[in-house]
Amino acid sequence: MKHLEGRNVGLDGVVEQQDNYRRSGFRTAWNHVRYAGVPHAEEPPGDITLVDAGTVPFGTPASYDRRFFPGPRDAFLSLWVAAPGHTALVALRDGELRGFGAVRPAGTGARVGPLHAASDDVALALLNGLSAAQQGEPVALDVPDANGAAIRLVERLGLEPNFECARMYTGGVPEIDLPGIYAATTIELG
């Protein structure tokens, strides 16, 4: 913390450690609630096209991602979406990028993240596509509880909460498009 003094530091604190983080100057911004299971099938509107993120110029999803994260992370993102076992999709509506998501192997099933979308129906289309890549295996998403639409979507699809942690900062909460975050990229890496 001494090395990071003067910077706004963010972390995802498990419930048991949140008091320790508060003593170190962190304040809760929202909670991430992990929802898991095999999503019920539900058809999104037909005007959304899902495309492998590797087939579009990388700058397009990277630019879109900047709305949802407080700093550029192109190097991380380029490796994240291309890592072995990862599947990344973009959602297009009328030729415009309206969402971006990835799924990766986890200890049990797979983890979806990021899942960023301009609307519930785009998030549904992406979640359907990412879940289909898992062929009936369970998926898990770390959903910010400050996004009520995201919570309602995963609950409607039959996913159930099984873990929670707090997104915490030492400074102010960064300006991001929180209503567009349907799942955090990863809480394990901060």
Side-chain angles (χ1 to χ4, degrees):
M1 289 305 293
K2 187 165 184 70
H3 174 73
L4 297 172
E5 196 170 307
R7 296 181 183 172
N8 188 10
V9 180
L11 59 77
D12 295 290
V14 295
V15 173
E16 298 81 15
Q17 293 298 318
Q18 289 172 16
D19 286 338
N20 291 333
Y21 290 127
R22 283 186 195 95
R23 284 191 288 277
S24 295
F26 287 87
R27 290 178 299 286
T28 301
W30 62 80
N31 291 318
H32 280 124
V33 181
R34 181 166 297 154
Y35 281 84
V38 177
H40 301 314
E42 188 176 309
E43 280 300 311
D47 64 340
I48 301 168
T49 303
L50 299 181
V51 178
D52 182 321
T55 65
V56 300
F58 176 73
T60 303
S63 176
Y64 187 74
D65 182 72
R66 288 190 191 107
R67 296 171 45 183
F68 309 100
F69 193 78
R73 58 179 182 170
D74 294 10
F76 164 77
L77 203 59
S78 69
L79 297 172
W80 187 255
V81 301
H86 290 213
T87 299
L89 300 172
V90 295
L92 305 173
R93 180 177 263 156
D94 299 324
E96 184 180 332
L97 192 141
R98 305 297 291 159
F100 172 62
V103 63
R104 66 192 185 280
T108 302
R111 189 78 49 82
V112 174
L115 181 54
H116 300 156
S119 63
D120 291 354
D121 54 350
V122 172
L124 173 62
L126 281 165
L127 186 53
N128 280 353
L130 296 168
S131 296
Q134 302 312 301
Q135 302 175 341
E137 291 295 316
V139 297
L141 300 85
D142 295 316
V143 182
D145 67 356
N147 183 345
I151 297 288
R152 288 188 295 278
L153 175 64
V154 294
E155 288 180 347
R156 187 177 81 221
L157 296 177
L159 301 181
E160 296 185 4
N162 66 12
F163 173 78
E164 185 174 313
C165 65
R167 185 66 184 163
M168 305 175 87
Y169 292 97
T170 56
V173 177
E175 289 187 33
I176 57 172
D177 181 0
L178 190 56
I181 300 175
Y182 286 76
T185 302
T186 173
I187 61 171
E188 292 83 7
L189 298 179

